[in-house]
Amino acid sequence: MKKFIFFTPLIIIFLILSMLLFALLSQNIGNKKTINSVLLNKPIPTKTLLSLNLNKLIDLEMYSGSPFLVNFFSSWCEPCKLEASNLEKLSEKIPIIGISYKDQKEDTYLFLDKYGNPYDEISYDSDGNIAINWGVYGVPETFIINKNGIIILRHPGPITTNVLKNEIIPILDEINL
Amino acid sequence: MNNFIVELGHIALVSALVLSVYQFVIVFFKNEKNYIIIPNIPVLVFSTTLFSFLTLIYAFLVSDFSVDLVSKFSHSSKPLIYKISGTWANHEGSLLLWILILTFFSAICSSLKLPERFHSLLSSVQGLLNSLFLSLCIFTSNPFYRSTLIPNDGLGLNPILQDLLLAFHPPVLYIGYVGLSVSFSYAIAALINGEIDKKWAALIRPWIILSWVALTLGITLGSYWAYYELGWGGWWFWDPVENAALMPWLLATALLHSVIVLEMRNELKAWTILLCILGFSFSLLGTFIVRSGVITSVHSFASDPERGLVILTILFLSTAIPLCIFALKANLFHKKTEINFFTKEMSLIINNFILVVSSFIILIGTMYPLFLEILNGSQITVGAPFFVASLSPFMISTLFFMGIGPLIYWKKNSLVHFIKIFRYPLLFTLLIFLFFITFLNLPLMFVVSFSLSFWLIINIIYLILDNTNILTFFKKDSKIKSLSKYHLAVCVAHIGVSVFAIGAVSENYFNEEVIESVKPGEKISIGKNYLIFDGITQKMGPNYISEIGKLTLLNIDGEIITQMFPEKRLFPIERQSTTEVAIHRKISGDLYAVLGDGDSSKGYTLRIYYKPLVSLIWMGALLMAVGGVFSLIANYKKRQIHQNI
Amino acid sequence: MRNILLISFVLLLNPLNVFSIEPDEILSDSKLENRARNLSKGIRCLVCQNQSIDDSDSELAKDLRKIIRIKIVEGKKDKEINDFLVEKYGNFILMKPPFYSETFLLWSSPFIIVFIGFIIIFFSLKKTRSEN
């Protein structure tokens, strides 16, 4: 028993070092700098949005029955420009609702003119409250919603070709698109 | 020409590695000949490292952008002092600085007079450490790598880091960390040698004190810098990297006191050795946290998993293996200790326990988010509220025992004596506590902390009075004698803790803040005084453009107390801006002014803080360090006397 | 190049050197404002490294502070506001980790360590039978 006490520091340190090694080797910890979404597998937090160009309401309930995407973007965001073409490709398979985050309307229009408009409908979030409601912490962020109105994927950051191929398409295939 | 010098530096570094490997292995081939005399290997290792380091400074000084490090972290327009300090304001350079200090200490150790077998083991362990770190540097973090494309000018140094105090922060802190590596090597050498006794304790003690003083100063510098530079008036954020420096400090404090017990009573052998090993491990752990990117923090250098892996390997080798040796050599520590309750040893043990427990709580708090995420992917934050809540009881208890320790005796066990000494201090402290609680109606935590700081001060005063015979002055023919150097050190250091505690809790509980948007001519009230905003002027600095606000501080009668000039600086090359806070310092409290955004038509945002007694934080910490220095002097004098006998 | 895209998308990153609460955010009722400040101090700025939204000047921090004030004025209690933020961002957003099954080890660690320490000390010391 007494001798065992002398081994306890070794055991404790060994456990700590193993944990650090694991953290270092795994791609998913710490350095990844993304925050997991707690809204996964929950229903969408907003049902109606104000439309950008016409003073009408976008009723997200109308989109239930089949899957759709929600994408937060802005004209001042560099990575948003990068994902524009991939969003264009996606928009052929699935409707995308765009939410312009903290932007001027004119700038949003210019952005869409320049980089293409993949959106079925566009809304705007001038004070950032819609973003907070969706647990968004930066732009761009994209959500995949299934036909029952449940969020099944949240991707922070641009939809790069890699992300498109390895994350988005598989999910869409799963829900049969 | 530049190229040649820098290449020489690189060669010197590689030579240092070769020599340090030799330093490590030579003990295995040792015969009767004393290796230290011809040639003095550790000194050579240091000399080559020094030369290497100087060439790196040279590269920064002349802005040699063919060196990748210089092009990434320097710029020709940087002020000279920051060109020099920029050498170690990055991962590779700071690692070389660490190695420089490491090899320096190993060179010093080689020229000390020590028992021969122990000395050669010591040198070997240090040689191994030198080799490991030099390898880490040369193979994964080589400061002499060349740029693939030589730019016309560099990227510049982060303006926040262009600060004199911060330039000293790494060297001082590293002296602390590396000092802990010395006590580590003393411990390993002693374990292998098989002799851990009072003599060994006397040898290692100065190194421990030195590390402790350096760590205290290093942490204080960093904290003080954060206070005046970052602009929020905070001085400690429980950020992982700050915690990484605090843990070794706590362990070093524990070690400092545990080695005293070892030297005086030949007890706590296993514990002292363990602390030597853990102290160094925790400083390496800190290194790992800052440089590997596994835990995100404000302080992190650019993170690199490959470096993290090598550091982790070093951490493993220098922790797991010594702990194995420690466990295997348990027979050295077989004696069951006899320690009575109301003795000095006991109070030192209790405080040791408190310090080490605190250290582990900080470790757990810092690592828990990582642990949880690995376990099941959950993400949580363990922020300041956790650390404050869990550590407060321990910090407060430690104040209590600090008051007791110096006043009671070694070995003897007496409750009666105990009551006799402490009855009046206890009484006074209790009175203060009740007074504050009932009549001044202050928050409980504040009153408890303050009362215990007061308790500590009372006991220190009692110690001084008792040891100088002032108390018995009127009896018979007792003469006043001066306080021994050792007691002086204890008193100064412990008063430092008390002063620090009072400053910390006062700032925490009585901090006032005012945020207003003002146009020139308008005034802001803070406390009983008020500030008049006189407007903004613009100025060009050596590598920045600044907006300087002018504030005139007036007291309640309208008399001018002082003028304050908070500033905002824009560094065009680095494309960053910094705030230069204006602080009006008085012991009773700091007035702290920060200039925000705005213009002359809409007004400027000004944030004003009043922080009562905040200077006591830095003063207390400085006193602690001074106490440590006194202790070093006392220790030196004592050894001189022993050597002369 | 590694993760630059991911990092740069978080454009709201705090440059560590400017301001946080703006004068126009401050509520006129000082009691409510104090509540807002205290709540903010307990909420983590998600795009900064280890700061509360009270200390940060990033856009997200500002928005979160505003939402807190709006909800306070609406009459929501502190717990409701914290719960709302946790519902949207998870426990990660709280500076003080809540006490539940996953953090049990964390919060009980001081007690566990002290307990283990006592055991070790007890086995290592031998008390004398008489006190003099």
Side-chain angles (χ1 to χ4, degrees), chain A residues 32 34-35 38-39 45 76-79 82 101-102 127-129 131-133 135-140 156-157 160, chain C residues 3 5-12 46-47 49 59-60 63-64 67 70 84-90 92 120 123:
Chain A
K32 199 178 136 202
T34 60
I35 304 168
V38 286
L39 294 177
W76 44 263
C77 133
E78 283 304 313
L82 290 166
Y101 176 77
K102 293 199 153 186
D127 53 13
N129 287 346
I132 291 180
N133 237 347
V136 166
Y137 62 97
V139 277
T160 59
Chain C
N3 288 328
L5 283 179
L6 205 56
I7 294 169
S8 67
F9 109 92
V10 186
L11 290 169
L12 314 174
L46 299 166
V47 295
Q49 306 218 16
E59 284 293 317
L60 182 63
D63 293 342
L64 288 170
I67 284 252
I70 291 174
F84 167 74
L85 289 171
V86 169
E87 192 194 313
K88 298 301 173 188
Y89 290 99
F92 184 71
I120 295 181
F123 275 107

Side-chain angles (χ1 to χ4, degrees), chain B residues 232 239 297-298 336-337 340 353 368 376 378-379 381 383 385-386 413 513 515 517 577 579 594 605 607, chain C residues 16-17 19-20 23 37 44 49-51 55 92 94-97 102 105-106 117 123-126 128 132:
Chain B
W232 304 306
D239 180 83
S297 143
V298 198
K336 253 206 174 137
T337 37
N340 302 320
F353 177 65
Y368 205 81
N376 64 4
S378 298
Q379 291 173 323
T381 299
F386 169 76
N413 176 350
E513 186 181 351
I515 307 173
S517 185
S577 53
T579 40
V594 190
T605 309
R607 191 201 282 189
Chain C
L16 248 198
N17 52 29
F19 242 26
S20 54
R37 295 299 298 274
R44 181 175 188 162
Q49 306 218 16
N50 208 38
Q51 278 171 282
D55 286 331
F92 184 71
L94 295 174
M95 288 298 265
K96 182 176 184 176
E102 284 181 349
L105 256 177
L106 175 69
F123 275 107
S124 322
L125 295 184
K126 184 175 80 178
T128 51
N132 23 341

